[in-house]
Structure formats: structure tokens, C-alpha cells
Amino acid sequence: MMATNESKQLVLAAAEAADSKKAEDIRILQLDPSESGLCDYFLICNGTNERQNDAISDEIELQLKKQFGVYANSVEGRRQAEWILMDYVDFIVHIFSPEKREFYGLERLRKSATTISVAEMNQEVAAKSRAVREKTPAKKAAKKAVKKAVKKASVKTAVKKPAAKKSPAKKAAKKAAGKKR
């Protein structure tokens, strides 16, 4: 299954939110669909301490709710805040302490995953958005042309009623009525 443009936008918004709270080493892993039925992406980053990890997760949650009206399916690990996992169905956010990130090494475990930079994903989303915008005016123009052609055809084929001719008796009666006034 191919990731939708909307899920890419969500991942980007989460990455930007993490960056705004000074998250370190932000990486987006595009998971191989044949090996992962879980989701399309992992967003992995780390803070320098547990309080920062908590702030990063709060900011991601806030921005995705504010910008897209999306809530995490589940959030785990907030209490210790050494590894916070936020499940957004199409992608999962992993916020680590530096020690836990090194220990678990998700990037090493997911060898088949492709690492995508935020800039690359931004380019993908922008290109897809442009393509959608370019298709839309063409469709509108085509619909307009069809409507115009149908309208012309209906005007040409419409049967015009001949103008009713007034009889000489009616003309005379009208003239007489005008003189009486």
C-alpha cells in the first residue's frame, strides 16, 4: 500500500513540531510494505533529557490536533519519558533519550526501510500537491466546455414558435377601443 499525501503531511508536521522543541537527529524511515503491516513511516528523534522528550511529544500532539484534527491512537512511555511511542496509525513517532536510542537502534533493526529527509518528503508533498492542482483546472475547463457545447446544441435544436399574427378583426377592435377613450 502506498502512503497517502495526507499521511506524508502529518509526518512532516510531526517532524516540524519535534524540530521546534529542539529534537535531535530527526529521521523519517519509510517502511517496506512487504515487511511491515504496522504503518508506512517511523519518525525517530531524541531529546537531551526526559523533560525535553515530554515537551517534544506534547508539541507533536498539539500541532497534529491543531492543524489536522488528528489524535494519536495511543501514547506510551510518557511516565519515564526515555522512549515515548506515539501511534498515529499511518506512522509511529519514537522519541528517545540518547542512551535508549543507541541501545535499541531502530534504524539498525529496520534495514529494509528507506531513510527520507524532511526536505525530500517536503518535495514529494509539494510535487503531489502541484499535480493535483494542475489536474483540477483542466477538469473544470473540460466540464465547462461540455456544458457550453450542450447549451449550444440545445439552442440550435430548440423549435422556435412562429410569431402569432393578429387577425384584421382584432386590429380593428383594438383601434376602436383606443378611440373610445
Side-chain angles (χ1 to χ4, degrees):
M1 186 174 120
M2 206 58 189
T4 64
N5 209 40
E6 183 181 357
S7 25
K8 290 176 185 177
Q9 290 173 335
L10 290 169
V11 171
L12 284 172
E16 288 172 17
D19 187 52
S20 76
K21 291 298 178 183
K22 309 289 186 230
E24 296 178 345
D25 197 14
I26 299 171
R27 292 197 190 172
I28 299 168
L29 297 183
Q30 183 174 10
L31 303 176
D32 185 353
S34 65
E35 290 184 14
S36 175
L38 284 178
C39 61
D40 298 321
Y41 298 100
F42 277 176
L43 173 64
I44 304 171
C45 65
N46 62 270
T48 55
N49 58 52
E50 287 75 21
R51 288 184 70 185
Q52 184 184 13
N53 288 350
D54 204 30
I56 292 167
S57 71
D58 286 347
E59 187 65 16
I60 290 171
E61 211 166 36
L62 176 72
Q63 290 305 318
L64 293 182
K65 182 173 83 173
K66 193 162 91 175
Q67 293 177 34
F68 301 95
V70 173
Y71 296 86
N73 223 21
S74 66
V75 178
E76 298 181 27
R78 274 214 171 119
R79 185 169 287 150
Q80 288 82 22
E82 293 178 333
W83 179 1
I84 299 173
L85 184 142
M86 305 172 78
D87 182 0
Y88 281 95
V89 183
D90 290 341
F91 69 99
I92 296 175
V93 178
H94 298 273
I95 307 166
F96 288 100
S97 66
E99 300 80 29
K100 293 292 182 188
R101 184 171 185 175
E102 188 177 325
F103 179 78
Y104 288 107
L106 285 187
E107 294 96 325
R108 288 189 315 271
L109 290 175
R110 295 291 179 165
K111 290 179 183 172
S112 63
T114 308
T115 302
I116 300 174
S117 71
V118 173
E120 289 171 329
M121 190 171 276
N122 262 328
Q123 288 174 346
E124 278 183 40
V125 169
K128 182 80 171 182
S129 296
R130 270 195 306 277
V132 168
R133 278 194 301 264
E134 287 170 1
K135 286 180 186 175
T136 304
K139 285 181 183 177
K140 284 182 182 177
K143 282 183 180 178
K144 208 174 196 180
V146 168
K147 280 184 180 179
K148 195 173 184 180
V150 168
K151 193 174 181 180
K152 267 187 178 179
S154 64
V155 169
K156 286 181 181 178
T157 58
V159 178
K160 293 183 179 179
K161 291 184 179 179
K165 294 184 179 180
K166 292 183 181 177
S167 66
K170 282 186 179 177
K171 283 184 183 177
K174 203 172 192 182
K175 220 178 204 183
K179 286 183 181 178
K180 290 182 182 176
R181 287 186 184 176

